[in-house]
Amino acid sequence: MTQPAKLTIDIYSDVMCPWCIIGYSQLQKGLALLEGEVEAEVRWLPFELNPDMPPEGEGQSEHIARKYGRTPQQAESNRERLLEIGERAGYSFAYTGSGEPPKAMIWNTFAAHKLLKWALIEAGAEKQTELKRALFDAHFQQRRNMGDPEVLADVAASIGLDRTAARAAIDDEVLGQLVRREEAQAWDMNISGVPAMIVQGKYLIPGAQEPEVYANALRRVVAKGL
């Protein structure tokens, strides 16, 4: 019996990016279409959409207006469309906390990328993906401060990672250098938006695609030979 082809998929991504969790959700559906054909190890690489964001962050509405020049009406229309696309992909952006939802914010994510790099090194790709999903939930569903090292350490602890080690990783200068180097590699590959999925270290699938697109692209990679 033929064994499934084993692929690595490195995803350049930012926790602030809704299309990244949509793309990942669609990728999982695409991989389900390839059950028995392909087994994939997913790893997450750093990409900061707003590297100059100050520690206090910026309101999402104000950020969209400033960066993209959209009116409040346009921003709300785009948000409703995003909610619908997310639901179809299997991810809800709805607030899950109690009471009045906190203001939606955009945060600096450099510390989150350091934490994700640490998780990959210390616990492997599956645990890194679990942490990435938990960070997406903390940002989009719980509206927590993704620039706060204590919040990030709490999220790591919530999935079974050692909180003390996670908190230390956020202050680790060597991890920071690794993240900066991988961010530079993205620019060297002309990656200017996320998600950007690199299959087997060389085949690029840009943007959030439909499951069938991912499945067909991965089949083509396998056909080229590993």
Side-chain angles (χ1 to χ4, degrees):
M1 186 174 178
T2 304
Q3 294 297 310
K6 296 185 182 297
L7 301 177
T8 59
I9 304 176
D10 293 308
I11 307 178
Y12 280 99
S13 165
D14 194 348
V15 173
M16 295 296 104
C17 172
W19 295 105
C20 289
I21 182 59
I22 289 172
Y24 175 74
S25 299
Q26 299 285 61
L27 172 66
Q28 292 306 299
K29 291 183 177 182
L31 288 170
L33 296 174
L34 299 175
E35 186 173 1
E37 293 180 59
V38 169
E39 289 181 1
E41 179 182 70
V42 174
R43 302 178 299 200
W44 299 87
L45 296 176
F47 190 99
E48 292 180 80
L49 289 170
N50 302 286
D52 298 324
M53 183 63 64
E56 65 270 19
E58 183 178 18
Q60 187 181 82
S61 298
E62 295 86 348
H63 177 78
I64 290 172
R66 177 182 61 81
K67 188 171 183 178
Y68 303 106
R70 292 177 185 159
T71 66
Q73 294 79 11
Q74 289 172 325
E76 181 59 26
S77 175
N78 287 338
R79 181 178 179 279
E80 290 176 359
R81 175 173 170 268
L82 187 64
L83 289 173
E84 293 174 2
I85 293 172
E87 292 291 345
R88 289 202 303 271
Y91 187 82
S92 173
F93 291 101
Y95 177 63
T96 59
S98 59
E100 188 71 19
K103 183 176 182 178
M105 298 287 292
I106 302 296
W107 304 104
N108 187 294
T109 54
F110 183 60
H113 287 304
K114 291 169 72 176
L115 185 64
L116 286 160
K117 175 54 60 180
W118 166 78
L120 177 63
I121 294 169
E122 291 297 317
E126 287 189 14
K127 203 65 177 178
Q128 187 201 33
T129 291
E130 188 179 353
L131 175 61
K132 183 74 172 187
R133 292 207 54 142
L135 291 171
F136 278 132
D137 291 350
H139 175 56
F140 290 115
Q141 298 177 353
Q142 301 158 20
R143 298 194 180 179
R144 302 173 75 183
N145 184 343
M146 291 292 93
D148 184 338
E150 301 302 330
V151 171
L152 295 173
D154 286 344
V155 174
S158 75
I159 64 161
L161 292 169
D162 182 87
R163 190 190 189 283
T164 301
R167 182 63 186 83
I170 293 169
D171 293 331
D172 190 318
E173 292 184 5
V174 173
L175 282 173
Q177 293 168 3
L178 286 174
V179 168
R180 292 298 187 210
R181 188 153 58 241
E182 290 182 343
E183 289 179 333
Q185 288 171 352
W187 288 106
D188 288 344
M189 290 187 288
N190 295 317
I191 293 172
S192 57
V194 287
M197 303 185 186
I198 311 295
V199 185
Q200 293 298 96
K202 56 184 176 179
Y203 301 105
L204 172 65
I205 307 175
Q209 306 291 343
E210 292 297 320
E212 294 78 11
V213 174
Y214 286 125
N216 290 335
L218 295 177
R219 278 197 180 107
R220 287 196 296 272
V221 171
V222 172
K224 289 177 182 290
L226 307 179

